[in-house]
Amino acid sequence: DVSTATPKVKQSGTYAPDTANNRWMGSIAVDKVGNAAVGYTKSGTATYPGLAYAGRTAGAAAGTFDQTERALVAGTGAQKNGYNRWGDYADLSLDPDGCRFWFTGEYYVTTGYNWQTRIGSFRFPGCT
């Protein structure tokens, strides 16, 4: 709840819309009308690591995400074994307009050690 000067946890949970993929390196932000978005890395045994986001509008039922998962960028490669860092530069932030979310994170175009950075933006309905 960010409606007062002292924000506090209003609800919490785990977002896992399927069992085939993992989601990690999450970052959350809330827009000026109370819509919450989360950006994260998504991968699985049949999915290269890519960036995705989902969220909930301010009027959604507690414990639900009514803004279903969307890909920001699909990965097309993986990190080689022996390299143990991931996501140091991931962040979801709110634009000064109070409505647009900006998400940045890493993914791979080809398997190796050279990750790429993607920056993208989105907004949820009802915020103008």
Side-chain angles (χ1 to χ4, degrees):
D1 182 0
V2 294
S3 63
T4 66
T6 307
K8 59 186 170 198
V9 175
K10 189 171 183 176
Q11 59 183 302
S12 66
T14 300
Y15 181 66
D18 64 57
T19 58
N21 294 292
N22 298 298
R23 291 152 183 87
W24 77 100
M25 298 305 297
S27 183
I28 192 166
V30 178
D31 68 19
K32 69 181 180 183
V33 298
N35 299 322
V38 62
Y40 45 85
T41 299
K42 173 185 172 181
S43 73
T45 56
T47 305
Y48 286 115
L51 301 174
Y53 64 91
R56 63 183 310 277
T57 56
T64 64
F65 272 15
D66 61 342
Q67 299 300 298
T68 57
E69 182 174 85
R70 295 189 182 250
L72 181 65
V73 62
T76 52
Q79 183 171 280
K80 281 193 172 182
N81 289 337
Y83 196 69
N84 63 359
R85 302 293 302 228
W86 187 270
D88 291 343
Y89 305 102
D91 182 58
L92 180 69
S93 297
L94 190 63
D95 192 272
D97 73 5
C99 288
R100 181 163 300 282
F101 297 99
W102 289 92
F103 182 53
T104 182
E106 74 183 60
Y107 70 103
Y108 277 81
V109 174
T110 59
T111 297
Y113 299 109
N114 295 317
W115 51 268
Q116 306 293 310
T117 299
R118 177 61 57 106
I119 301 169
S121 69
F122 58 94
R123 64 181 348 154
F124 289 157
C127 192
T128 55

